Amino acid sequence: MEKLLVLVGAVLLIGFIVWWFFGNRKTIETEATMSTDKQQVEVTVNGGYTPNTVVLQQGVPASIVFDRKDPSGCFSYVVFPDFGINEELPVGEQHSIDIDTSKPGEYQYACGMNMFHGKVVIK
Amino acid sequence: MSVRNRFFVAFILSLPMLIEMVLNPLIGWEFPGHTWTMFALTTGVMIVAAGPFIRTAWAAFKNHNANMDTLIAIGTTTAYIYSIYAMLHHQPVFFEVAAFVITFILLGQVFEEAMKGRASSAIEKLLGLQAKDAEVLRGGKLVRVPLAQIVVGDIIRVKPGQKIAVDGVITEGSSTIDEAMVTGESMPVTKKAGDAVIGSTINKSGTFIFEATKIGNDTLLAQIVDMVKRAQVSRAPIQKTVDKISNIFVPAVLIIAILTFVIWFVLLGADVVTAMLYAVAVIIIACPCALGLATPTALMVGTGRGAKMGILIKNGEALEAANDIQTVVFDKTGTVTVGKPVVTDIIGNEKTVLALAASLEYSSEHPLAGAILEKADRLGIKVKDVKNFKAIEGKGVTATVASKVAFIGNVKLLGKTKLDTKLAHEMERLQSEAKTVVIVGADGKALGLIAIQDTPKDTSAVAIAVLKKRGLRTVMITGDNKRVAQAIADIVGIDEVIADVLPSDKADRVKSLQRHGKVAFVGDGINDAPALAAADLGIAMGSGTDIAIESGGIILVKNDLRDVATALMLSQKTFSRIKLNLFWAFIYNALGIPIAAGVFVWAGLALSPELAGLAMAFSSMSVVASSLQLSRAKINATHYS
């Protein structure tokens, strides 16, 4: 009886893990706020990048403000391979990174160990 | 709290438990209040040292993410919470498992951080080379001006021992300059008025004045730094496969751990504690970081190393392409050769012939004219005034010099007049040596010949020999005629010559060579852009001050062909280090997880969670250490010739 319970529990747990981590989810896109000549968007760094996808307008100087709340070593750097950006994010500080918006497209970024991902869409 | 401090807290709190673990079997010693003290110590470790892991794991979980912290948090809290339950029911406890695992993992992270700092320091060192200020001419006086205030067009004085502030061109004076920090060239270079100087290099011997041409982000050093930065964060194509694995890695490990528990507890009838310890060991030993660190750290060290040698690898893609190159195609002019024709032979009375030729060519724009004027200048021959200058398309030049009708040109210019047998014979000999020969004469009579040739660079022969020794096929491609090209190829030892190729057809020739294997194209980056792009790997030779960053996958700052072999070698070493790192990271997980799950218990091979924690800490550390080895690897291709 005890073993049967464990078995059922294990199956449920595995099912939950698969559903939670691999299930399809809608990504939330956030558009940058425009001021007269530039745009800015804030991304919270806490167990991931929230919002996960930010949308920037092409041709307008843009900056993403990273607010790192997570002390994990994973997040100590943010890397944009397409822009050659590899910057340190201090914990508990707002750190602004300028993004070159001259070319439209989708650009992935990630933490230093490439475990957490975020996306920038320029259109 | 920093990783280092968290480690110390975890270490100090774990120490009594470690001492007890060692002494207990020997003398049966237990510290006072055994279980409750362990509970208190471990609780301290969990709150202070493991807290950040748990917070990140929770935050990540809410975002449907999982990473290394997830594994550490689940593994240690499982052991901790079970031990509290066991303590209340007076059963054996496993507090030390949680405490030791946290201590070991933090120890690993402390080392890892220090090593990663070393891996990325190369590029910061480059920027530290910049001069802080310079002596600039302002309002007719030389004043010290900070680097940031220098503008293009400023006239700057540099004394011996001083650093050159920005890129520019010498206007007055001459000196020898140590450019090692930017180009990797170990020998100081002699520079005089009209020569370009590079910012951040060191003036050795003389005082000179130069005009600033490039400042700030436009300087060669700034461009190099920018490029290396980009290269260091770029992703090698091999990384894509790794990414796919690491995306599902952590959830997969959690599922394996659950299965481990179920199999031990339900199928094999083990007790809860044994089954739980196996499951915890699986969670702890799995190391996604080793996979994640394998490529970036090697790329960082490899590209940084290259930058110091004047070899700029643009990205991981170029690095990977360099790995299986079979054919190296060279552009001839300016790449294999100096790119500047020089006078090699003068037949007839040297002074008379050269004086006449120089006077005639003084107003000419023909590329060969420069060679003749330079030779005359070097021998101290003065140019005479000419009248009635006439350039005859495809033939040569005529003019009146000292009341005689003088001429310089090819055989066509002579018309019906014949060369005497001696000159005709000499002409044939020189032409067979692949030299361009011009006839100099006056009043319808040939007085002598001048042979002009673009000579191979001193280093070309060695460079080709090294490449051939590495088993590469060497090909030279040129717009010159077959005879001239073959002569150069013979001198430097190139296997194959493709001559008479129009500049626009170079890319097509490269494409046809690609049918026999991967091709690298080596060119000067300005005229050869299509061929550089068409090749599997484009290697652009810098002219020293201008790097055509867009043009190649690898850029050689020095104009030295030997660097081609060195660049290929560095790329191959870096790439094989990436593969080695990935191999170990995979093998580590592929073997470690089954061992931790107790698959090999029948053979007496098992791991406690503490040992799993130690193994995990050292696996990610060893990947970083392996990448750092690259900075010491022997990478000097010509060394072996």
Side-chain angles (χ1 to χ4, degrees), chain B residues 192-368:
Chain B
K192 55 181 191 312
D195 287 342
V197 290
I198 308 169
S200 304
T201 57
I202 297 169
N203 180 23
K204 287 290 211 193
S205 54
T207 301
F208 65 87
I209 289 169
F210 77 98
E211 185 185 338
T213 54
K214 278 175 185 167
I215 57 158
N217 289 334
D218 298 329
T219 63
L220 184 69
L221 186 76
Q223 287 188 58
I224 290 176
V225 169
D226 182 60
M227 198 168 150
V228 175
K229 268 190 179 167
R230 279 170 187 271
Q232 288 187 329
V233 300
S234 73
R235 302 251 184 260
I238 196 171
Q239 182 83 21
K240 285 199 184 112
T241 326
V242 181
D243 284 354
K244 275 187 199 136
I245 295 167
S246 45
N247 282 344
I248 61 158
F249 190 89
V250 174
V253 168
L254 291 177
I255 291 171
I256 292 171
I258 294 168
L259 292 176
T260 303
F261 183 84
V262 168
I263 289 170
W264 277 104
F265 183 71
V266 177
L267 298 183
L268 300 175
D271 57 281
V272 180
V273 175
T274 314
M276 184 203 70
L277 287 182
Y278 281 128
V280 169
V282 166
I283 293 174
I284 297 298
I285 202 164
C287 183
C289 336
L291 283 174
L293 289 170
T295 318
T297 51
L299 206 60
M300 201 169 259
V301 178
T303 50
R305 176 92 193 266
K308 274 193 218 155
M309 298 191 289
I311 295 167
L312 307 178
I313 300 168
K314 201 153 137 198
N315 50 34
E317 229 163 285
L319 193 97
E320 202 167 324
N323 199 46
D324 46 4
I325 292 296
Q326 282 155 353
T327 310
V328 184
V329 183
F330 296 92
D331 173 50
K332 181 184 138 295
T333 311
T335 303
V336 176
T337 65
V338 178
K340 221 172 89 181
V342 289
V343 171
T344 55
D345 306 79
I346 299 170
I347 309 296
N349 183 317
E350 190 176 78
K351 262 199 166 150
T352 329
V353 171
L354 203 55
L356 208 53
S359 306
L360 284 163
E361 294 284 23
Y362 191 69
S363 350
S364 165
E365 277 157 16
H366 198 270
L368 297 179

Side-chain angles (χ1 to χ4, degrees), chain B residues 108 112 115 287 289-290 293 615-625:
Chain B
E112 199 185 300
M115 286 194 288
C287 183
C289 336
L293 289 170
M616 135 90 175
F618 280 91
S619 76
S620 52
M621 235 167 71
S622 64
V623 163
V624 182

Side-chain angles (χ1 to χ4, degrees), chain B residues 330 336 464 468 474-476 486 489-490 492-497:
Chain B
F330 296 92
V336 176
I464 303 292
K468 280 162 86 171
T474 52
V475 178
M476 187 171 78
Q486 191 61 52
D490 289 344
V492 297
I494 280 177
D495 295 321
E496 201 185 317
V497 171

Side-chain angles (χ1 to χ4, degrees), chain B residues 109-121:
Chain B
Q109 289 195 352
V110 168
F111 278 117
E112 199 185 300
E113 271 192 5
M115 286 194 288
K116 273 201 292 198
R118 261 170 62 198
S120 58
S121 64

